[in-house]
Amino acid sequence: MEPTVLGGRLASAVVTPLLKKLFTPEAPGAGLVDRPVRLKDLVSFRGEKRSLGEKDVGKLAAYLVSEALASPGEPPFPATEGQAVAHALGARLLAFGDLDMDDVQAVRLGHRELAARLCSAAPRAEGLSTDADYFLDSATEWSCLQILEFFTRRSTFLARTLVEQSRAQARLIARVDELLTRHPRPHACDTAFERRYLPYLIQRHDHITIYGIDLRDSPDRWPLEAAYLSLEAATPGHPAPDTPTAVLDRLPADEALNSHDRILLRGDAGSGKTTLVQWLAVATARDGDRVPYVLPLRTLVRTGSLPSPAEFLTALGCPLSPPDGWAERVLADGRGLLLVDGLDEIQTADRHRTRDWLLALIHSYPGNRWLLTSRPTAVRPDWLSSEDFRELVLAPMQRLEVTTFVRRWHRAAQAREYEGQLLDALRSKRDLARIATNPLMCGLICALHRERRGYLPTGRKEVYDAALSMLLARRDRERGMAAVDGGELGEEAQLEILQRLAYAMVLSGRAEMSVGTAEGIVERCLPVLATTSGRLDASTLLRTLLLRSGLLRQPAEGVVDFVHRTFQDYLGARYAIEEGHLDVLVGHADDAQWEDVVRMAVGHARPRERGLLLRQLLARDIPRLTLLALACLEHAAALDPTVRLEVEERAAALIPPRTTREALALAGAGPLVLELLPGPEGLTALEARCVTVTASVLGTAEPVGAIGVLRRYRDHPALAVRRQLAGSWSRFDAGEYATEVLDHLTRDRLFVVCESAEQRAALRLMRPWRSVAFRGSLALHEMADAVVEPAAVNTLSLERNPALTSLEKLSAFPSLVGLWIVECPAVHGLEPLSELTVTDLAVFTPIADLTGLDGLHSLDHLSIGQRLNGAALPDALPTEARLEYLYLGHNSTSATGLRGLSQWPGLEALCLSSLSTALTAADWREIAEHPALTSLSLYGPLPFPEYLVPELPGIEDLRVPASYGDHVLQTLAARMPRLRKVLIRSDGMHLDPDDLARHAELFPGAQIKYDRG
């Protein structure tokens, strides 16, 4: 490092007087002649009555820095760092007072070594940029040079003994001054070039290309910022079934280099390796802290010998010419980020020399960061382990990542109108969701969906056809890749081998096979493939498929499988049809593992074969196989219309379900049903509710598909449908269900039930709910903390909470008007409710005591499910309350009966549920003589002998269970001459049109409705 920066900014005539202030003036006489003087005695800022203080030294340093920044030309470092540099320079100047040497020793050291002593003595400057560090070191050396010159002129003794050194230093100062005016420093040239190179790199890589797709309305280039998705990388482990690889210790892939400087990243075809390389290059170029080099090996090996650092840009076709030695200086300083992409895309022989090339660079230029990418089987696991490379594998995309990708893709394509439909399809169509686990396949599906204006192809066969064509042939060809390791196969030849391997796995009921078995199957294919690949042996062909097909992988030593089970089923079905194995397909159709194979077989089959397959499925007369036949229609573009009609008519009896019992039975057919559930368009409210019942029950086995169905119903206006949706929360991931379904529901007359910490956390992420139920042992203040706006809650249900004893903290919900208490046996007293304006109180199950109930005068709805004390209702209930609705359950009337019911003249509705004490004639008179009572509900076992029922002229609305016999219903009908509405609860009983006709006869002139529960 030359002490040139400050000298280029300030002439020595300006610097020297400033630096002289650091030292005391000469005393009268020749006191310095006798002996050298210690530096600590010379400085002017230590000891008593010195001319400078430490603040003055800081100001002097700040003045030097500000003058350097204000000088004409390019600033030596960013002006924002001026204060930090001045502080650091001041600290180094102050360090003169700590040096244990004299002025003669200082001169003998020379300015560089003296500057080094100051740097060691002063605190280390942290957080400065490279340019600022360079300036600080240069300024320190230049100051030392001027100070030593000052020493040589200060003492006659020193002048005599060091005259030659003084002259040499003077000459050096003059030459440096002159040199700086003629030649800029090399670092400035490097900086200027990087200001051109980094934007060029961003422009070149700030987009992604989808190879192998030729869709009319879908561009093949997308802005990287809009389409990039941060995936996860992990330490590879033993793979789990139907997953691309097993992983441990997940972390964001684009942050892997933050914790380790050398990464070997493996990933299957289309998993996002190259896109990650581009993202890292663009992000690093924008940050400017390192210089990235994107080194695709398939490009570099074509030039013959692999390039040296000086040849990097030329080999990559970069039109910019760097300064001589720039790349070497970048790597020597440890500022490089080397992104070496595609170890799998070069020949095995080239990999050996590539490894030697990498090792030479790593050893010659330590301190840089390295990322190498490869498909899983291209190089052995320990290929670079001796060089401290950490191996990671790109993990498959999770559901939320797929959703994010689809949304970003449609935003980039300006096709947001298709986004929701595709997300629904990915949730409900299981085989489609299984292949949407990496960016390449997600992009393909998005493009196909948009190409067809929001519809996936008729049957998903076309999706798989496009995927296979892209993976097996077009992607490598359009990226300009030659055959790897001499194993070149056409698309049909690859399909022939792959489908035989797939069918063998399907028949064995396994998702993998040994390498030896696979090679044996390939060996038997060779005569068929002789015209195109007779020179290749089975081992080479299998290795080629493992390396380049994107469909096969080697998850463990000696084992091969398909990257996705759905490709295995698709290819196995293709071979079964080619071989005419229709009976095998039908014979295994009731095996869930063969479900997708049968459906794909219908897609591959010719029309006559399709008809045979579907008729044989119907002939087995099993509901599940009938539904399987219906699902197969999606893949049957051409089919005998009579067969199609027969399938649809048989399935119409099952879908949509029309009762809860049918809905549960339909769910028993398995996740296949999710793809067949209709609506909500064209369904009655009852059918819509039953569809949601089926989907919610299947949520345990297939949550993604179930949510895909349920989210279609989230805007349904029917209360029964909304209640079913709200009540299904516990079957799903709390956060996802809240986001996709719950938060969209109309809140009117609807409770949301929270019974876990996850649900309470999700509750805070939703719009405020007016009616909330908390289930489980939870304190009232914890309930208040779980809602976004406690003041927005007007109805609260406390359920199954044995720990709750007091209601005093209900004041946290100042707007509370409704309180329901269910299975909270330790609650003592209702007095705290008098501080709130509660109008609806329900104590459905017994609490410790009802003290304070008689003082709740604001009530208009009251439900009590425990024994009331007293001889009559007014002894226990609030007599001043203007009750409109009263619910009495179990043994609540065992002591009071209905005596005193007339105390509430505004009572319009009375509900008697499962009373343990039969109604007496006096109780019936209370009902008959009440002036306002028009609605009567009777639930549970018959609580009266029918002959005691008097005429009830005021009752217009009756609700009864279907379990009441016709004789009882006929008696009630005869006693209620003004009856207009009858609601009959099924309570699990099967009700059909004959029941409706019978009930209409029992209640002539009344409107009959069923509550099927």
Side-chain angles (χ1 to χ4, degrees):
M1 179 181 293
E2 292 295 328
T4 57
V5 176
L6 188 59
R9 302 287 166 178
L10 297 174
S12 56
V14 178
V15 177
T16 302
L18 294 173
L19 295 176
K20 280 183 178 181
K21 294 182 179 181
L22 295 173
F23 301 92
T24 58
E26 287 188 89
L32 298 178
V33 174
D34 294 338
R35 62 183 182 277
V37 181
R38 311 301 290 180
L39 291 187
K40 62 184 178 181
D41 296 326
L42 284 176
V43 295
S44 61
F45 46 83
R46 294 188 58 164
E48 298 180 359
K49 299 180 181 180
R50 296 295 181 139
S51 59
L52 290 184
E54 292 189 4
K55 290 185 178 179
D56 298 306
V57 176
K59 291 179 180 178
L60 187 152
Y63 178 80
L64 293 176
V65 172
S66 64
E67 286 295 301
L69 286 172
S71 299
E74 178 187 349
F77 61 91
T80 55
E81 297 183 273
Q83 185 175 356
V85 174
H87 178 76
L89 180 58
R92 292 186 181 184
L93 294 177
L94 286 170
F96 267 106
D98 297 321
L99 295 181
D100 188 20
M101 65 178 69
D102 55 42
D103 52 353
V104 174
Q105 291 172 329
V107 172
R108 288 175 178 171
L109 276 177
H111 65 281
R112 287 192 176 89
E113 182 60 26
L114 182 61
R117 297 286 182 93
L118 292 179
C119 293
S120 299
R124 179 176 174 80
E126 299 288 347
L128 296 181
S129 66
T130 302
D131 283 344
D133 271 332
Y134 187 93
F135 174 88
L136 180 59
D137 291 342
S138 297
T140 305
E141 289 189 16
W142 182 250
S143 298
C144 289
L145 187 62
Q146 298 291 344
I147 289 168
L148 294 186
E149 168 66 9
F150 165 62
F151 285 167
T152 65
R153 297 178 184 275
R154 189 173 188 274
S155 168
T156 57
F157 172 77
L158 290 176
R160 286 195 308 270
T161 57
L162 302 176
V163 63
E164 291 301 324
Q165 185 175 344
S166 175
R167 290 172 179 171
Q169 288 169 340
R171 288 194 298 270
L172 176 61
I173 292 170
R175 289 174 181 174
V176 170
D177 280 339
E178 181 181 1
L179 180 64
L180 283 171
T181 61
R182 296 183 179 182
H183 300 286
R185 56 196 171 114
H187 188 73
C189 296
D190 291 354
T191 301
F193 174 73
E194 288 169 19
R195 287 174 181 164
R196 298 171 59 210
Y197 171 69
L198 296 180
Y200 161 80
L201 198 72
I202 293 172
Q203 185 276 332
R204 178 168 180 176
H205 294 288
D206 198 18
H207 63 270
I208 61 174
T209 301
I210 302 177
Y211 294 99
I213 302 177
D214 54 355
L215 302 179
R216 192 171 50 251
D217 296 328
S218 296
D220 61 354
R221 289 164 64 96
W222 302 96
L224 183 64
E225 187 83 26
Y228 176 73
L229 181 69
S230 178
L231 300 178
E232 288 189 324
T235 304
H238 188 71
D242 294 331
T243 60
T245 187
V247 292
L248 303 169
D249 303 328
R250 292 175 180 262
L251 74 162
D254 50 9
E255 297 179 12
L257 285 169
N258 293 343
S259 58
H260 204 86
D261 285 345
R262 299 177 185 180
I263 300 291
L264 173 56
L265 183 69
R266 300 177 189 264
D268 293 313
S271 59
K273 301 184 297 298
T274 299
T275 304
L276 174 63
V277 164
Q278 292 178 239
W279 178 262
L280 289 172
V282 171
T284 304
R286 285 177 176 156
D287 291 342
D289 58 339
R290 285 182 176 270
V291 178
Y293 300 91
V294 178
L295 304 172
L297 286 174
R298 64 178 178 273
T299 300
L300 299 183
V301 297
R302 293 175 190 159
T303 62
S305 60
L306 290 163
S308 66
E311 299 167 327
F312 279 174
L313 300 192
T314 301
L316 297 171
C318 176
L320 303 179
S321 299
D324 289 342
W326 167 74
E328 288 88 344
R329 286 191 292 275
V330 168
L331 298 181
D333 289 344
R335 294 194 300 122
L337 171 63
L338 294 98
L339 304 165
V340 183
D341 188 30
L343 287 171
D344 56 286
E345 297 174 356
I346 58 177
Q347 301 280 353
T348 299
D350 289 328
R351 289 183 206 132
H352 293 309
R353 66 186 180 102
T354 297
R355 187 175 185 276
D356 294 338
W357 172 71
L358 289 171
L359 293 179
L361 289 174
I362 291 168
H363 295 158
S364 300
Y365 301 102
N368 296 284
R369 289 184 175 176
W370 293 81
L371 176 73
L372 280 61
T373 72
S374 173
R375 291 195 188 179
T377 58
V379 294
R380 64 181 185 272
D382 60 347
W383 199 65
L384 283 173
S385 59
S386 61
E387 301 302 324
D388 195 31
F389 270 79
R390 180 184 181 187
E391 288 213 15
L392 296 174
V393 61
L394 276 176
M397 294 166 65
Q398 304 299 310
R399 292 202 308 269
L400 292 180
E401 292 170 332
V402 172
T403 299
T404 300
F405 182 96
V406 170
R407 287 175 175 160
R408 289 185 181 177
W409 192 99
H410 285 84
R411 183 170 62 246
Q414 299 181 348
R416 298 296 292 271
E417 66 272 23
Y418 304 129
E419 175 186 306
Q421 296 168 314
L422 181 57
L423 287 174
D424 284 341
L426 287 170
R427 290 183 179 98
S428 60
K429 300 180 185 300
R430 292 176 298 147
D431 56 342
L432 193 63
R434 286 176 186 152
I435 66 171
T437 56
N438 65 53
L440 181 68
M441 296 306 300
C442 281
L444 172 66
I445 292 169
C446 289
L448 285 170
H449 186 258
R450 182 198 180 197
E451 177 78 2
R452 287 153 181 79
R453 300 294 189 271
Y455 294 94
L456 287 170
T458 303
R460 270 150 281 160
K461 179 177 180 294
E462 192 170 345
V463 176
Y464 297 113
D465 287 342
L468 291 172
S469 176
M470 176 181 61
L471 291 171
L472 298 181
R474 298 191 53 193
R475 189 162 180 260
D476 280 355
R477 183 172 65 245
E478 292 174 18
R479 294 167 79 196
M481 287 189 55
V484 177
D485 294 343
E488 184 172 5
L489 285 172
E491 183 176 346
E492 285 300 319
Q494 292 181 72
L495 283 173
E496 182 63 31
I497 298 174
L498 289 169
Q499 69 183 15
R500 294 192 184 203
L501 293 171
Y503 191 53
M505 293 183 192
V506 169
L507 286 175
S508 68
R510 297 174 60 86
E512 61 183 29
M513 67 169 52
S514 69
V515 170
T517 301
E519 289 180 352
I521 293 172
V522 175
E523 183 74 32
R524 291 190 290 275
C525 287
L526 291 180
V528 179
L529 307 175
T531 57
T532 60
S533 56
R535 59 189 177 85
L536 303 176
D537 59 26
S539 177
T540 301
L541 287 176
L542 182 61
R543 176 168 174 76
T544 298
L545 290 172
L546 285 167
L547 192 59
R548 301 304 321 158
S549 72
L551 294 175
L552 278 185
R553 64 171 185 169
Q554 192 167 359
E557 187 67 27
V559 175
V560 298
D561 67 359
F562 283 85
V563 293
H564 299 290
R565 177 64 181 262
T566 187
F567 284 124
Q568 174 184 312
D569 294 342
Y570 174 87
L571 292 167
R574 187 178 191 263
Y575 190 73
I577 290 298
E578 286 185 3
E579 295 298 306
H581 293 176
L582 301 187
D583 290 342
V584 175
L585 293 168
V586 174
H588 288 85
D590 54 353
D591 183 344
Q593 296 295 323
W594 281 70
E595 186 178 283
D596 287 337
V597 179
V598 173
R599 294 170 66 185
M600 292 294 103
V602 170
H604 288 298
R606 292 173 286 275
R608 185 183 64 82
E609 294 169 326
R610 289 173 182 157
L612 288 173
L613 261 176
L614 294 175
R615 280 201 168 103
Q616 289 183 54
L617 290 176
L618 295 178
R620 297 186 62 178
D621 198 24
I622 299 173
R624 184 180 170 281
L625 295 189
T626 299
L627 295 173
L628 178 58
L630 180 63
C632 289
L633 294 184
E634 178 189 10
H635 304 274
L639 180 66
D640 183 341
T642 59
V643 176
R644 186 182 298 274
L645 181 62
E646 184 179 357
V647 172
E648 291 173 344
E649 288 179 346
R650 291 276 294 275
L654 303 172
I655 298 179
R658 295 164 184 85
T659 66
T660 301
R661 179 176 294 179
E662 290 180 6
L664 296 175
L666 184 60
L672 164 72
V673 171
L674 291 170
E675 300 182 31
L676 307 175
L677 292 174
E681 297 80 7
L683 301 183
T684 65
L686 176 60
E687 290 171 338
R689 177 190 168 276
C690 290
V691 167
T692 59
V693 170
T694 299
S696 64
V697 170
L698 289 170
T700 303
E702 195 74 28
V704 177
I707 289 180
V709 174
L710 296 176
R711 71 191 301 272
R712 301 203 307 258
Y713 288 80
R714 64 191 186 186
D715 297 321
H716 202 286
L719 178 61
V721 175
R722 291 186 289 120
R723 282 179 174 169
Q724 178 62 40
L725 293 175
S728 300
W729 193 11
S730 61
R731 296 179 183 270
F732 300 91
D733 175 80
E736 183 178 7
Y737 193 80
T739 301
E740 296 293 334
V741 180
L742 276 187
D743 201 25
H744 300 267
L745 298 179
T746 301
R747 310 298 206 245
D748 184 39
R749 300 169 62 196
L750 192 65
F751 267 96
V752 62
V753 180
C754 289
E755 52 186 334
S756 69
E758 293 75 16
Q759 288 179 337
R760 293 193 294 274
L763 185 64
R764 292 192 59 83
L765 304 178
M766 293 188 280
R767 293 179 293 116
W769 282 80
R770 294 190 296 273
S771 301
V772 184
F774 288 101
R775 189 170 292 167
S777 296
L778 203 66
L780 289 174
H781 74 271
E782 293 177 293
M783 301 179 198
D785 291 342
V787 297
V788 179
E789 299 178 22
V793 177
N794 56 34
T795 304
L796 189 64
S797 182
L798 311 176
E799 303 176 6
R800 303 176 190 171
N801 193 339
L804 186 64
T805 58
S806 172
L807 301 178
E808 291 181 0
K809 300 296 184 181
L810 279 176
S811 57
F813 301 94
S815 304
L816 199 65
V817 295
L819 178 65
W820 296 6
I821 303 176
V822 184
E823 297 184 31
C824 301
V827 172
H828 284 271
L830 302 173
E831 296 94 336
L833 301 185
S834 61
E835 300 177 4
L836 301 167
T837 309
V838 176
T839 59
D840 182 2
L841 174 64
V843 184
F844 288 113
T845 55
I847 61 176
D849 67 73
L850 293 172
T851 305
L853 175 60
D854 55 356
L856 304 181
H857 306 311
S858 59
L859 293 177
D860 55 39
H861 282 61
L862 177 61
S863 303
I864 297 294
Q866 70 187 87
R867 178 186 174 90
L868 296 172
N869 296 323
L873 293 176
D875 296 338
L877 305 184
T879 55
E880 296 182 23
R882 297 182 179 182
L883 293 182
E884 299 173 3
Y885 171 90
L886 180 61
Y887 168 98
L888 298 171
H890 197 50
N891 65 346
S892 56
T893 61
S894 59
T896 63
L898 295 181
R899 291 182 290 278
L901 193 64
S902 58
Q903 179 68 42
W904 297 277
L907 189 67
E908 298 175 355
L910 176 65
C911 179
L912 305 174
S913 178
S914 302
L915 294 180
S916 61
T917 304
L919 295 178
T920 64
D923 293 330
W924 280 112
R925 282 196 300 273
E926 291 281 351
I927 297 173
E929 295 172 2
H930 197 285
L933 197 61
T934 59
S935 176
L936 179 63
S937 300
L938 301 171
Y939 295 144
L942 190 67
F944 54 85
E946 60 272 18
Y947 62 83
L948 292 180
V949 180
E951 184 169 313
L952 304 172
I955 302 300
E956 300 177 1
D957 183 355
L958 176 65
R959 304 182 181 207
V960 292
S963 57
Y964 287 6
D966 287 359
H967 178 68
V968 173
L969 296 179
Q970 189 174 25
T971 300
L972 293 175
R975 301 292 194 271
M976 302 177 188
R978 296 178 58 189
L979 199 59
R980 297 291 178 264
K981 296 179 181 178
V982 177
L983 179 69
I984 299 177
R985 290 175 55 92
S986 66
D987 289 342
M989 296 180 62
H990 179 70
L991 298 173
D992 55 35
D994 291 339
D995 294 310
L996 180 61
R998 180 169 54 84
H999 289 139
E1001 291 180 1
L1002 292 174
F1003 297 97
Q1007 181 184 4
I1008 310 296
K1009 287 188 176 181
Y1010 290 125
D1011 181 356
R1012 301 178 186 272

